[in-house]
Amino acid sequence: MRLLLLLSSALLATSHYFPSTPSHSDWNPARATYYAASDPIDAVGGACGYGDLVKNGYGKATAALSTVLFEKGQICGACFEIRCVEDLRWCIPGTSIIVTATNFCAPNFGFDADAGGKCNPPNSHFVLPIEAFEKIAIWKASNMPVQYRRIRCRKEGGVRFTIGGGGVFISVMISNVAGAGDLSAVKIKGSRTGWLPMGRNWGQNWHINADLKNQPLSFEITSSDGVTLPSYSVTPKNWEFGQSFEGKQFDS
């Protein structure tokens, strides 16, 4: 399949409101803060390993999650709707944002959870780009009470597979996943092999030690809700490390 041309324009979070449907979970309480454009929180793609979030299509519609939400990285790629609540001084009424989990907000055990340790257990906390935060609240609000719910992800185009590593070590970063958004299992297949299970390296980076050069690669991914999606011959025979390719996509 064709080599991807990665997106180069920022996709800003926009205001949304969705009525309750079976594709949405219940609203839950949390808090949210923001980081400014000069903060290097996403400089290396964050704890999920997505790389440059703008070039890879996530833009500013992203969030770093606290320990209790991050699930040791398995949640990477999941989508959340967030709305500001309880504070009429700072909230922008009738708005919400949709963000993708792309990073981890590490705990600071030098502070209590209710006195500076905003991402410490048991806190549910989101750290947002200021561009996203200002869609739902005035920036002066700083640490705001919010409500969030898990929703299904809607993505343009197919699932993206970016191949890294070298020699027989193959690392695949999987991004732009619709539906549940996060993955629980990945398999890879060459034209001369059967399906080979990959291990999670971190976030949505998966790895395997196998000699798969000079053969087209297929992928079978399973989302956290148990849906399995095979994409056959995603790469050509002469694929190279560092290239990205597009496969099939889950239903939104």
Side-chain angles (χ1 to χ4, degrees):
M1 299 185 72
R2 62 184 178 85
L3 181 65
L4 281 181
L5 295 176
L6 296 178
L7 298 178
S8 60
S9 58
L11 300 178
L12 296 181
T14 55
S15 300
H16 298 271
Y17 178 77
F18 293 94
S20 180
T21 73
S23 63
H24 300 144
S25 64
D26 294 333
W27 290 104
N28 298 285
R31 298 190 75 87
T33 50
Y34 63 85
Y35 65 91
S38 59
D39 194 310
I41 186 171
D42 287 322
V44 293
C48 293
Y50 288 130
D52 188 311
L53 295 176
V54 173
K55 289 183 178 179
N56 284 312
Y58 291 101
K60 299 297 183 179
T62 60
L65 277 57
S66 62
T67 302
V68 297
L69 297 175
F70 193 64
E71 299 179 7
K72 297 181 179 180
Q74 183 170 320
I75 199 70
C76 289
C79 295
F80 296 88
E81 184 179 8
I82 302 173
R83 64 185 183 186
C84 183
V85 294
E86 297 181 11
D87 198 329
L88 297 179
R89 295 175 302 167
W90 308 118
C91 293
I92 300 175
T95 62
S96 68
I97 54 173
I98 294 174
V99 296
T100 302
T102 60
N103 209 343
F104 175 50
C105 178
N108 184 347
F109 294 115
F111 296 91
D112 292 335
D114 58 354
K118 61 188 179 184
C119 289
N120 293 5
N123 294 344
S124 295
H125 195 97
F126 293 85
V127 182
L128 306 169
I130 190 170
E131 294 89 343
F133 186 91
E134 288 186 316
K135 298 290 183 179
I136 57 173
I138 298 171
W139 68 270
K140 290 183 179 180
S142 186
N143 193 339
M144 281 294 300
V146 297
Q147 290 180 336
Y148 73 95
R149 62 180 177 180
R150 179 82 178 265
I151 66 169
R152 294 184 65 78
C153 299
R154 299 176 181 176
K155 302 295 182 182
E156 295 290 332
V159 174
R160 296 174 189 150
F161 301 89
T162 301
I163 303 176
V168 297
F169 177 77
I170 297 175
S171 174
V172 180
M173 188 270 284
I174 304 175
S175 60
N176 200 53
V177 180
D182 54 340
L183 302 177
S184 60
V186 176
K187 294 181 181 180
I188 190 171
K189 180 184 181 301
S191 59
R192 300 191 295 271
T193 73
W195 286 109
L196 305 173
M198 303 187 75
R200 188 190 301 273
N201 198 352
W202 82 94
Q204 293 302 346
N205 285 265
W206 299 75
H207 70 276
I208 191 172
N209 287 306
D211 184 4
L212 297 174
K213 290 293 289 182
N214 299 314
Q215 48 190 312
L217 301 180
S218 302
F219 296 94
E220 181 185 274
I221 58 177
T222 301
S223 57
S224 62
D225 57 357
V227 179
T228 296
L229 178 70
S231 293
Y232 293 98
S233 298
V234 172
T235 77
K237 178 181 179 179
N238 60 341
W239 62 268
E240 298 287 346
F241 292 108
Q243 292 180 327
S244 295
F245 302 90
E246 186 175 300
K248 293 184 179 179
Q249 185 59 276
F250 291 104
D251 293 333
S252 297

